[in-house]
Amino acid sequence: MRNGLVAAVLVLSAAAPAWAGEGTGGPPDPAPGGPQRPYEPDVAGSRNVDSLAVEVDGDGGAGVRVGFDRTSRAEPAGPPAAPRRFVFLFGEALRFHPADFPVCARADIERAGPAACPEGPQVGRGTSHLYPEGTAEVYAFNARHPNGMRGAYVVIPANGTILDLTWERVTRPYHERGYHWALDEIVPPTATPPGQRVGTRRFELTWGATHLGFSFATLPERSRTDRLRFGLWSEFVTGQIVLPETTARG
């Protein structure tokens, strides 16, 4: 078996139970053990209403690509509140193999953008839909962080954004819900006051790639007809936490 992030297979039930925290503090943190975002106090702002769609298809090799499509709007109106963190939650049957792919160094991306990365570390791509209009290309690169954790960098060249993500096992309540691995993305504070930062109205990011015959994401053949659960745990500068979830057939 190749070295990688390997999850056991679980046939998901049609519906997941409600969270004990819903209606109060929101769904609990699925990956609390990873790197911590610097503290910022909550600010007043609009309430975000998020939805999520996910599509799973072939990667051209033996593996799959997993496409997240998140939409967000403010209630009652205006720009969505800016994020603090996003945690991508993957159905338990999926297996990931970052060790089979080269990595890209953050310093290289900071110096010369995505073009500075060698061949092979790109493991995702997408589009950021800005508010109120406009789009920006998004790239994801396999990474090994200085602390030794595996993860990724999400890069938006148009505005110079580089976000650190780490692979983490989910906590027990999420495992019981049908997840196993999470990619925890920290959106660091900036010089712009939190209440003046603007969130995206839509964010598309597809995880998956092939390199030298290896696939970044794979799914056992026996799970190709199962419906897998996916989620995107999101925390905003207002302190609001949401977890849109969906299922997709492998």
Side-chain angles (χ1 to χ4, degrees), residues 76-219:
R84 287 174 176 161
R85 283 175 63 206
F86 291 116
V87 183
F88 295 86
L89 298 167
F90 298 92
E92 191 174 18
L94 283 161
R95 304 175 181 183
F96 295 93
H97 309 278
D100 292 333
F101 282 69
V103 300
C104 191
R106 184 186 178 101
D108 291 337
I109 300 173
E110 292 173 342
R111 173 178 54 83
C117 293
E119 182 181 358
Q122 185 174 334
V123 294
R125 187 165 184 175
T127 304
S128 176
H129 298 257
L130 312 176
Y131 179 90
E133 60 183 15
T135 60
E137 293 296 309
V138 179
Y139 302 87
F141 295 97
N142 192 36
R144 186 113 190 200
H145 298 297
N147 62 6
M149 296 183 72
R150 292 196 178 274
Y153 296 120
V154 165
V155 183
I156 308 176
N159 57 18
T161 297
I162 304 174
L163 302 177
D164 291 1
L165 291 78
T166 52
W167 282 110
E168 299 175 42
R169 291 179 185 268
V170 299
T171 56
R172 182 176 178 179
Y174 285 85
H175 191 273
E176 292 174 346
R177 199 174 182 88
Y179 302 115
H180 190 88
W181 288 108
L183 266 174
D184 186 353
E185 175 181 278
I186 292 177
V187 182
T190 68
T192 302
Q196 297 178 23
R197 300 173 202 157
V198 177
T200 54
R201 57 188 171 87
R202 185 181 179 188
F203 197 87
E204 301 171 273
L205 184 53
T206 296
W207 297 98
T210 60
H211 177 65
L212 300 179
F214 296 113
S215 289
F216 184 71
T218 60
L219 190 62

